[in-house]
Amino acid sequence: HKCSPVEAEPGDLVFRRDNGVWSWFFVQASKREKRFSHVGIVIDGGKNPTIVHADASEMTGVDCVRKQDWAGFFAESVDGALYRYDGVRYVREKIASEACKRLRVPFDTGFDMSNTNKLYCSELVRESVNGATSHETIGYTMLTNCQTMISIDDCYRTNMIKVAECREYRLSKM
């Protein structure tokens, strides 16, 4: 495995950077740190954590919110990190529960924040974290033309603590 699941717990946010067609777009959409292209939520820890994330085919844009093991999630990644909500364990576990409620929701190829019957990766994280905390913990970024989007770095800029880095294919505790 390129990255080892060091101390991943339910509700942790897992970030990665890929080299796929859409990766560049998601990196550029971040206004502050242009580091990551994808994000998911750990739903169970242990030696091989399970991650829930909204992902789609690079070619067709078709897929949905789904579960994937740690190794599969990081299979094509070149960078990554693990962040944790800075709050009580109960809320972190609720973040994982909120993510599970959204399994099989179709991928949102239109990146439409006004409708949550389809979700893209950072939108899934925003809905899950904000649902668990009962307030707007994760906001959004204003793009050009008065469009809004939840960028990848919106997911960790407030109330999140970096727990581990995944550089050079090894996850190391902070």
Side-chain angles (χ1 to χ4, degrees):
H1 305 265
K2 292 180 181 177
C3 299
S4 306
V6 176
E7 296 187 27
E9 296 179 5
D12 285 352
L13 305 185
V14 184
F15 296 85
R16 72 180 191 207
R17 181 168 187 160
D18 302 327
N19 288 319
V21 175
W22 285 99
S23 297
W24 183 87
F25 169 79
F26 284 110
V27 167
Q28 295 307 311
S30 290
K31 297 294 184 191
R32 291 160 294 278
E33 183 181 41
K34 296 178 183 298
R35 181 176 170 194
F36 302 115
S37 61
H38 192 64
V39 60
I41 298 171
V42 174
I43 59 167
D44 37 89
K47 293 185 187 229
N48 190 22
T50 304
I51 298 164
V52 169
H53 63 118
D55 199 14
S57 162
E58 289 279 339
M59 304 309 273
T60 65
V62 176
D63 212 331
C64 62
V65 176
R66 61 189 171 95
K67 293 181 193 180
Q68 190 170 27
D69 70 7
W70 186 275
F73 183 83
F74 278 110
E76 303 294 321
S77 68
V78 296
D79 190 11
L82 182 72
Y83 282 76
R84 184 167 293 146
Y85 176 72
D86 186 17
V88 296
R89 180 181 295 268
Y90 167 76
V91 174
R92 294 194 308 263
E93 289 170 351
K94 195 170 175 190
I95 291 169
S97 174
E98 289 288 328
C100 288
K101 288 180 188 175
R102 292 161 173 84
L103 283 167
R104 292 177 291 288
V105 170
F107 186 80
D108 184 0
T109 55
F111 307 103
D112 179 7
M113 284 179 38
S114 66
N115 190 341
T116 57
N117 65 352
K118 292 183 178 182
L119 299 167
Y120 54 95
C121 67
S122 49
E123 186 180 22
L124 164 68
V125 169
R126 181 179 193 259
E127 291 299 313
S128 299
V129 171
N130 291 355
T133 61
S134 300
H135 68 278
E136 191 170 300
T137 302
I138 295 176
Y140 56 87
T141 294
M142 183 68 73
L143 300 174
T144 56
N145 304 329
C146 297
Q147 266 187 304
T148 57
M149 179 180 181
I150 301 114
S151 67
I152 303 295
D153 65 354
D154 287 329
C155 295
Y156 61 86
R157 69 183 170 118
T158 56
N159 297 86
M160 298 293 167
I161 299 167
K162 190 183 298 180
V163 175
E165 282 283 344
C166 176
R167 291 191 187 264
E168 298 179 18
Y169 314 117
R170 206 177 112 262
L171 196 62
S172 56
K173 191 174 176 182
M174 290 296 298

